[in-house]
Amino acid sequence: YDCSVHGFHFYTLNLERSTTRILVSLGALDIDSPTSAAAAALHENNNDATIASETNEQDQTAARRERKESTSEKARSTKRVLPWKPSAMENRSKEDVRPINWSNRPKSYVMRTDDWDEFPNGRWGDSTSPAFGELSDLSHFYSFTLGCDDDRRAMLGHCPLHESDVYEVFASYVEGTVPHIPWCETPLQPESFLIQPQLAKLNRCGLLTVNSQPPVDGAPSNHPTFGWGGKGGRVYQRGYFECFVSPDKTNRLTSMVTKHPSMIMYAVNNAGQELRVGVEEGGVTALTWGVFPNREILQPTIFDPDTFLVWAEEAFSLWSSMWLSLYDFGSESYELIETIKDTYYLVAIIDNDYYTNENFLLLDALLEVGGK
């Protein structure tokens, strides 16, 4: 808008789905009132020239500011159809359940599941079902490059020598000064802004987070940060953290989870050694769900222990393909990244007590572990 761009023209080629999703994300299309509010929103966004001719310079500035606000995090959140961005592909139009692990690498997940005959709808179901197919190795063809090698070095470090150098990269991503890391091709999610300082502190303490969400207990579905699915509903989510940690901190996390009956923990290292705490029988856990009028309960984000192991293989491979490859073989930086890849665990912790009462028990417990 600052460059006098007054609107956009979309060539849909008779396939309106992608355009519709873009308009919803921009806040220009009200999914709850397609015949009234949507028309008004579209009219407003496509008639900037008319507005300019009928208002003075001050009004034009205010109008531009208002349109910018419509593309803010608030607008994008309240207009979300699901907690994650749905695919625009026609064959995935009914997909409404995904594992949380690829939340920050959605393109990889889409490519790994591209050959599925069916996509989870309503419930995740049995991930071993032939109808779903396997999470293939295709994702390794899609390697989010973060730019050329020089660009990656600028983000990930020209010559990291200590673990604290790596920790700082993760913390800088949380704070927004590093735009991407190999496990997160998207910026920090709006709900994580609420705990941004604590997340940065956790990463500087060696809990290298790649995924997280705070607990939510019945927030309105049009909540500016947590809302999704349209108006008139209530949304819920369990607290969740996923991070790389050293063996020593893995032991500390094990002790922490043991002291809190509401928590469960899954961990695996690059060698495939698994650790489960507080888990009697590993089953699928709904991490996000919503209750809406005249609809069944929706649970669009889940955690599946078997799928977590598939994701872990990809997650550990990114240390090599996206970071280790930047440094000369045998150099101190090479040895540092290789040691982290080969010794750290990928840990996922779920807190089943989502009744928060303004507290985030899991976050507080993690901060205590990190501070030791």
Side-chain angles (χ1 to χ4, degrees):
Y1 296 113
D2 289 338
C3 299
S4 300
V5 177
H6 299 300
F8 299 95
H9 186 88
F10 292 96
Y11 289 93
T12 65
L13 301 179
N14 294 327
L15 298 173
E16 78 287 352
R17 182 175 301 278
S18 296
T19 303
T20 301
R21 292 277 166 75
I22 291 171
L23 293 174
V24 169
S25 296
L26 288 173
L29 184 63
D30 190 337
I31 60 175
D32 300 307
S33 182
T35 60
S36 56
L42 289 172
H43 179 77
E44 177 182 297
N45 282 275
N46 286 289
N47 285 280
D48 292 356
T50 302
I51 293 174
S53 65
E54 295 178 352
T55 60
N56 57 32
E57 185 63 28
Q58 183 177 1
D59 290 338
Q60 291 179 43
T61 302
R64 285 195 294 269
R65 187 181 299 114
E66 183 177 353
R67 287 192 296 272
K68 287 182 181 179
E69 177 65 19
S70 73
T71 63
S72 68
E73 300 298 343
K74 177 179 179 180
R76 288 199 294 270
S77 297
T78 56
K79 301 296 181 181
R80 293 187 303 174
V81 178
L82 293 166
W84 38 268
K85 184 179 180 180
S87 171
M89 293 186 290
E90 188 66 32
N91 65 328
R92 305 182 79 110
S93 61
K94 295 183 179 180
E95 179 186 25
D96 62 8
V97 184
R98 285 186 184 179
I100 195 171
N101 312 100
W102 282 268
S103 293
N104 294 318
R105 277 180 60 86
K107 292 181 182 178
S108 175
Y109 179 77
V110 169
M111 292 190 70
R112 295 194 75 154
T113 58
D114 186 56
D115 60 351
W116 284 12
D117 296 327
E118 298 177 11
F119 296 95
N121 174 250
R123 296 290 183 272
W124 175 249
D126 182 4
S127 60
T128 64
S129 168
F132 289 166
E134 296 182 357
L135 282 161
S136 69
D137 293 332
L138 185 61
S139 72
H140 298 294
F141 175 80
Y142 169 73
S143 188
F144 184 60
T145 62
L146 306 179
C148 65
D149 285 356
D150 288 340
D151 291 336
R152 277 190 286 159
R153 289 190 190 96
M155 285 185 279
L156 303 178
H158 289 280
C159 185
L161 300 177
H162 308 285
E163 289 179 320
S164 58
D165 297 331
V166 175
Y167 299 172
E168 187 62 30
V169 171
F170 279 81
S172 296
Y173 165 74
V174 170
E175 294 172 338
T177 55
V178 168
H180 309 287
I181 55 176
W183 305 268
C184 303
E185 64 191 38
T186 59
L188 198 67
Q189 297 299 315
E191 62 185 25
S192 295
F193 293 154
L194 302 176
I195 55 173
Q196 191 175 35
Q198 296 94 321
L199 280 178
K201 182 177 180 180
L202 280 177
N203 281 277
R204 289 191 171 97
C205 291
L207 282 77
L208 308 180
T209 58
V210 295
N211 214 327
S212 65
Q213 69 175 33
V216 175
D217 182 24
S221 57
N222 61 351
H223 189 280
T225 300
F226 301 111
W228 56 271
K231 300 176 182 177
R234 293 281 177 175
V235 296
Y236 304 79
Q237 58 188 43
R238 290 179 167 92
Y240 178 81
F241 268 92
E242 187 179 314
C243 53
F244 289 104
V245 292
S246 66
D248 176 62
K249 283 191 170 61
T250 300
N251 292 332
R252 297 182 192 178
L253 291 174
T254 298
S255 300
M256 178 198 80
V257 172
T258 302
K259 296 175 183 177
H260 295 89
S262 65
M263 297 181 188
I264 56 177
M265 177 178 127
Y266 298 85
V268 64
N269 63 12
N270 192 37
Q273 296 174 318
E274 294 182 52
L275 179 63
R276 299 187 179 190
V277 184
V279 182
E280 295 181 0
E281 293 183 6
V284 177
T285 301
L287 294 182
T288 306
W289 65 100
V291 181
F292 299 88
N294 303 313
R295 302 169 70 181
E296 293 184 353
I297 293 177
L298 306 179
Q299 50 181 48
T301 309
I302 59 93
F303 178 89
D304 179 6
D306 294 332
T307 303
F308 172 67
L309 296 179
V310 177
W311 157 247
E313 182 182 356
E314 178 177 332
F316 279 108
S317 74
L318 293 173
W319 283 105
S320 296
S321 62
M322 302 290 283
W323 204 330
L324 185 67
S325 59
L326 296 176
Y327 311 117
D328 292 335
F329 177 80
S331 66
E332 290 185 67
S333 296
Y334 187 99
E335 297 293 339
L336 171 66
I337 301 302
E338 186 174 49
T339 298
I340 291 176
K341 174 181 71 75
D342 290 340
T343 62
Y344 276 40
Y345 279 78
L346 181 63
V347 176
I349 302 177
I350 302 169
D351 187 359
N352 290 298
D353 184 4
Y354 55 88
Y355 179 71
T356 62
N357 194 27
E358 303 301 325
N359 292 318
F360 192 171
L361 176 62
L362 177 53
L363 178 59
D364 292 340
L366 289 170
L367 287 169
E368 184 178 349
V369 169
K372 292 181 179 179

